[in-house]
Amino acid sequence: RQAREFLEWISITIPVLESRNFRDDSEDAKSQFENHKDFLVKQKPLRAVQKLDIEGLLVDIQTRLQVYERSPYVPPTGLG
């Protein structure tokens, strides 16, 4: 579930970041700067922690499977 939520956030965030339209007025520049600052300070660090947690869970699963001589876990399509 965490991985799906993370991938959903990515699929929403990338188009938003790519669709930014920069105009030549100072108010727009200030607004864009504040939005980007908010993303870098609030959103991205939380998602980086979430990504590390997901990776840690996968490593833990793979290690346990290897210890018990089981075949490796293969994430569902779209999560790998």
Side-chain angles (χ1 to χ4, degrees), residues 23-53:
R23 297 185 309 227
D24 288 337
D25 65 77
S26 64
E27 287 300 315
D28 182 56
K30 186 175 180 179
S31 172
Q32 292 282 347
F33 175 76
E34 289 299 322
N35 290 340
H36 190 67
K37 186 172 112 178
D38 179 67
F39 171 75
L40 291 176
V41 172
K42 295 179 182 173
Q43 295 178 33
K44 191 174 178 182
L46 294 174
R47 296 303 178 161
V49 168
Q50 185 180 21
K51 180 180 182 253
L52 291 173
D53 289 344

Side-chain angles (χ1 to χ4, degrees), residues 10-26:
I10 289 173
S11 69
I12 292 169
T13 303
I14 289 176
V16 169
L17 293 175
E18 289 177 343
S19 69
R20 293 179 292 184
N21 186 9
F22 299 100
R23 297 185 309 227
D24 288 337
D25 65 77
S26 64

Side-chain angles (χ1 to χ4, degrees), residues 1-7 54 58 73-80:
R1 187 179 87 192
Q2 289 181 13
R4 281 196 176 96
E5 289 174 5
F6 182 71
L7 291 174
I54 293 166
L58 180 60
Y73 172 73
V74 178
T77 304
L79 291 181

